[in-house]
Amino acid sequence: MSGFVEKPEPIQVPGLVHLHTGKVRDLYQNEAGDLVMVASDRMSAYDWVLPTEIPDKGRVLTQLSLWWFDQLRDLAVNHVIGTEVPEGAPADWAGRTLVCKSLKMVPVECVARGYLTGSGLAEYRQSRTVCGLALPEGLVDGSELPAPIFTPATKAEVGEHDENVSYEEVARQVGAETAAQLRQATLAVYSRARDIARERGIILADTKFEFGFDGDTLVLADEVLTPDSSRFWPADTWQPGRAQPSYDKQFVRDWLTSPASGWDRRSEQPPPPLPEEVVAATRQKYVEAYERLTGTAWS
């Protein structure tokens, strides 16, 4: 059992139709048919959306995505139309709202990996492959791969696991031409972002993208290159062979699996509220990622 510990009621705004409540984002449609994405401060871990929010998290995700879209604009068309808050919406939506093109979304999580860790490491240890792609012997947790790889996954519902799949399975589901477009775009965007992050002292270990079609044009959508969708490691402490420090929700994961939380993730019980120190430390990691990548102080 997993999902929302406390699922929020959607906010009603004149002229907007609520479409979906996700782990972090609430999705609406305006009268023009555009999508309005609002990033909340919700935090998810171990397939649960937790009862405790992380202040400013939604704004950090939104502003960092906008910064990345700008860095990538010559490489990938994106879905952003504007950032204005719809009339009648809560003031709190400021800084966390994107008005976006309505796309025909491709039902694939497009994952790029430049380093071995996470579910990729688990598969590698069993078969020396990741999503069916053969890798060299001798790699360890945190190893840089010989070249970035495209390791897609199926997109899961709230409370479910994304499931890694082979490139051949993606081609079967969406067609060979679309699969090739997804792989090319994913690796191109990852490579650009990896180089930008590296200049700022951050390793982009892996990340996931979502794409949709606007007519025949493949469009980069959702959030991009945030601590929620990516693994960012400090370059100066990178050391293959161990778990790396990261700019993400690791404080949350570590506390939830510690004796201090009193929670058994294998049980059907929802996780408890987070203590203030874990909330503060997690917020600081998100802010630090924003500041190091953009070179701009968070305010």
Tab-separated table of all heavy atoms in Angstrom, residues 20 26 46 144 183 222:
chain	number	residue	atom	x	y	z
A	20	HIS	N	-5.672	16.827	-12.694
A	20	HIS	CA	-4.901	15.756	-12.043
A	20	HIS	C	-4.125	16.308	-10.860
A	20	HIS	O	-3.616	17.422	-10.901
A	20	HIS	CB	-3.914	15.152	-13.057
A	20	HIS	CG	-3.033	14.070	-12.504
A	20	HIS	ND1	-3.530	12.848	-12.088
A	20	HIS	CD2	-1.688	14.015	-12.308
A	20	HIS	CE1	-2.531	12.093	-11.657
A	20	HIS	NE2	-1.405	12.785	-11.783
A	26	ASP	N	0.013	19.942	-9.460
A	26	ASP	CA	-1.417	19.938	-9.744
A	26	ASP	C	-1.607	20.488	-11.147
A	26	ASP	O	-1.008	21.513	-11.522
A	26	ASP	CB	-2.156	20.809	-8.728
A	26	ASP	CG	-2.061	20.232	-7.323
A	26	ASP	OD1	-2.613	19.146	-7.102
A	26	ASP	OD2	-1.413	20.849	-6.466
A	46	TYR	N	9.816	6.713	-1.322
A	46	TYR	CA	9.401	5.310	-1.217
A	46	TYR	C	7.942	5.121	-1.627
A	46	TYR	O	7.181	4.393	-0.980
A	46	TYR	CB	9.657	4.778	0.193
A	46	TYR	CG	11.103	4.856	0.590
A	46	TYR	CD1	11.521	5.623	1.678
A	46	TYR	CD2	12.074	4.173	-0.150
A	46	TYR	CE1	12.861	5.705	2.026
A	46	TYR	CE2	13.405	4.260	0.188
A	46	TYR	CZ	13.798	5.018	1.279
A	46	TYR	OH	15.132	5.097	1.614
A	144	GLU	N	31.671	6.436	-13.532
A	144	GLU	CA	31.250	7.097	-14.767
A	144	GLU	C	31.196	6.058	-15.876
A	144	GLU	O	32.090	5.211	-16.005
A	144	GLU	CB	32.202	8.221	-15.143
A	144	GLU	CG	31.742	9.003	-16.371
A	144	GLU	CD	32.558	10.245	-16.660
A	144	GLU	OE1	33.619	10.419	-16.015
A	144	GLU	OE2	32.135	11.042	-17.525
A	183	ARG	N	15.321	8.787	-27.866
A	183	ARG	CA	16.698	8.462	-27.463
A	183	ARG	C	17.653	9.575	-27.863
A	183	ARG	O	18.484	10.020	-27.054
A	183	ARG	CB	17.135	7.135	-28.080
A	183	ARG	CG	18.577	6.764	-27.728
A	183	ARG	CD	18.893	5.311	-28.084
A	183	ARG	NE	18.763	5.067	-29.518
A	183	ARG	CZ	18.901	3.861	-30.081
A	183	ARG	NH1	19.159	2.805	-29.321
A	183	ARG	NH2	18.764	3.705	-31.375
A	222	ASP	N	7.039	18.976	-18.860
A	222	ASP	CA	7.075	18.739	-17.425
A	222	ASP	C	8.214	19.546	-16.796
A	222	ASP	O	8.490	20.664	-17.205
A	222	ASP	CB	7.199	17.233	-17.138
A	222	ASP	CG	6.805	16.869	-15.718
A	222	ASP	OD1	5.701	17.268	-15.298
A	222	ASP	OD2	7.591	16.204	-15.031
